[in-house]
Amino acid sequence: MPADPPQPTVLPPTNFSTDNCTSISIYCPIEFTIYGFYPSLGANAFFCAFFGICAFLQFCFGIRWRTWTFMTALVWGCIAECLGELNTPLSIRSYVGRIMLHTNPYSEVAFDIQICCLIIAPAFIAAGVYLTLKHIVLETGSSFSRLKPRFYTWIFILCDFFSLVLQGAGGGLAATADHGSTLQNTGNNLMMAGIVWQVFTLLVFGGLVTDYTMRLNKRRGELSHSATKLLASGRFKFFIASLVLAYLTIITRCIFRIGEMANGWGNSIMQDEGDFIGLDSVMIMIAVLCLTAAHPGLVFPEMQMHGKTTPVGEFGVAEREKVHDSESGGSEEGRVGGNADGKVKKSWLGRGRKA
């Protein structure tokens, strides 16, 4: 009997075999990659295009309404998401990185781009949410807040920056270290710490917002006329609803990431593309869509006023808050408006306004 033809040798999934893989082959199957699948080209291309368009819109809106800090946070967040999608065999470096991984799941460059960008991008987007609280408090009544309005920005942006540093450093270590090495585990732990800190920061933020809302509702009779009018307006309700939805989707994504990273690289959660798309990509897409459709320049123009230059010069933070408090009814002397008999009362700009 003729001997059986020689069979191809398939190497077992050892560290030695996968560390030397640079592309898919009979010796380096797709199952041995960290993700264990070819990232969906269509899905990641869609997300890449979506975040690219939103980055452009946020840039245009920021220039148009001079919301510089908000624009910076959202544009960088969208760019990071977009770059991540371009590298995965579409699922490794954010979306550019994930697209690159679609072509070659063993591409180290694609993996590095995706892991770093997709990890840090939500921190920028969360910063956009944090930035709005100060201005909402200034408009509705700073006397109901436990903190001075300017402290909200400083506290949460600094916390967000710390989270960004931890996640960025961890992502950099994990992306450049050998698979299964101590250095990679250190990077993974740093990313986990950054994400956990981000969730903690989001929870504290949500708690302060809830506390402020409850205090405001209990003392509605003390609201100024302008605050009452703002709270009743449809555009402001849309703005608040969009912020709440963006907040919920960001925190959902962060909690998912904790579960994904908790069991190390290549675990069952990490290798489920459906979960990643639904609980990461879609969540951040909804958050960015909310913050773009409900851009402050479109539905909360009052946010512009707090940073504008006036005819008498540039106001500092404290002065702007004092001025706004008086405008909103914080004191009788500084209130802008007119008397019941229709006489003109002088405003802080030095011009008259008829009631």
Side-chain angles (χ1 to χ4, degrees):
M1 283 180 73
D4 292 335
Q7 300 296 313
T9 300
V10 179
L11 300 179
T14 63
N15 286 338
F16 175 79
S17 62
T18 56
D19 284 348
N20 290 279
C21 290
T22 57
S23 62
I24 298 297
S25 68
I26 192 172
Y27 302 107
C28 300
I30 184 67
E31 292 79 14
F32 290 2
T33 63
I34 289 178
Y35 290 101
F37 58 84
Y38 284 100
S40 166
L41 180 61
N44 287 282
F46 167 77
F47 289 120
C48 182
F50 174 83
F51 290 117
I53 292 171
C54 286
F56 175 75
L57 291 175
Q58 286 289 344
F59 179 77
C60 292
F61 290 163
I63 296 295
R64 168 65 179 81
W65 285 291
R66 300 172 182 267
T67 51
W68 307 120
T69 310
F70 187 86
M71 177 190 74
T72 301
L74 269 294
V75 168
W76 278 112
C78 289
I79 289 175
E81 286 287 341
C82 184
L83 289 176
E85 292 297 344
L86 285 184
N87 233 5
T88 52
L90 262 186
S91 212
I92 288 192
R93 282 187 185 185
S94 212
Y95 298 101
V96 167
R98 297 183 79 85
I99 291 172
M100 292 170 66
L101 287 176
H102 176 79
T103 302
N104 178 17
Y106 282 104
S107 170
E108 291 186 5
V109 174
F111 178 80
D112 296 348
I113 293 174
Q114 177 242 274
I115 197 66
C116 291
C117 292
L118 288 184
I119 283 291
I120 67 175
F124 286 102
I125 297 167
V129 177
Y130 298 148
L131 287 168
T132 62
L133 181 56
K134 164 192 166 181
H135 303 282
I136 291 172
V137 171
L138 284 172
E139 286 297 326
T140 54
S142 58
S143 62
F144 309 123
S145 175
R146 295 185 187 276
L147 298 176
K148 291 184 178 180
R150 65 177 179 273
F151 288 160
Y152 288 115
T153 300
W154 284 106
I155 291 172
F156 289 106
I157 293 301
L158 286 175
C159 287
D160 203 47
F161 178 74
F162 182 60
S163 168
L164 191 63
V165 170
L166 287 176
Q167 294 181 64
L173 286 176
T176 56
D178 294 332
H179 180 61
S181 67
T182 301
L183 189 59
Q184 187 182 59
N185 290 333
T186 300
N188 184 57
N189 291 336
L190 280 174
M191 283 193 292
M192 278 286 294
I195 298 172
V196 170
W197 178 256
Q198 187 175 19
V199 170
F200 173 75
T201 302
L202 283 164
L203 290 174
V204 171
F205 178 81
L208 285 174
V209 171
T210 301
D211 176 70
Y212 177 77
T213 302
M214 293 174 65
R215 288 164 63 88
L216 184 148
N217 285 331
K218 287 180 180 178
R219 299 165 60 184
R220 274 188 173 269
E222 301 175 29
L223 289 174
S224 66
H225 174 72
S226 61
T228 301
K229 186 177 180 180
L230 177 67
L231 290 171
S233 67
R235 62 175 175 81
F236 186 72
K237 291 178 180 178
F238 175 64
F239 181 61
I240 294 299
S242 298
L243 288 178
V244 170
L245 183 56
Y247 170 84
L248 292 175
T249 53
I250 292 170
I251 199 170
T252 297
R253 174 268 176 196
C254 291
I255 293 173
F256 164 72
R257 275 294 192 173
I258 292 174
E260 182 189 44
M261 301 294 297
N263 296 317
W265 300 99
N267 64 73
S268 58
I269 298 177
M270 190 173 287
Q271 294 189 343
D272 190 324
E273 187 178 27
D275 285 349
F276 174 84
I277 290 176
L279 295 174
D280 188 300
S281 302
V282 171
M283 292 296 102
I284 299 303
M285 182 189 76
I286 293 173
V288 171
L289 180 61
C290 288
L291 296 175
T292 303
H295 188 279
L298 296 171
V299 296
F300 188 48
E302 290 83 356
M303 185 168 166
Q304 287 180 271
M305 183 192 70
H306 304 142
K308 278 190 173 181
T309 301
T310 72
V312 293
E314 182 77 28
F315 282 106
V317 174
E319 288 83 358
R320 289 200 303 271
E321 290 176 2
K322 184 177 179 181
V323 165
H324 189 274
D325 285 342
S326 65
E327 282 188 293
S328 300
S331 65
E332 281 297 321
E333 294 81 5
R335 185 175 298 170
V336 175
N339 297 320
D341 59 3
K343 293 182 180 179
V344 176
K345 185 179 286 187
K346 193 175 181 180
S347 75
W348 61 275
L349 288 177
R351 295 192 297 265
R353 183 185 299 175
K354 191 172 182 178

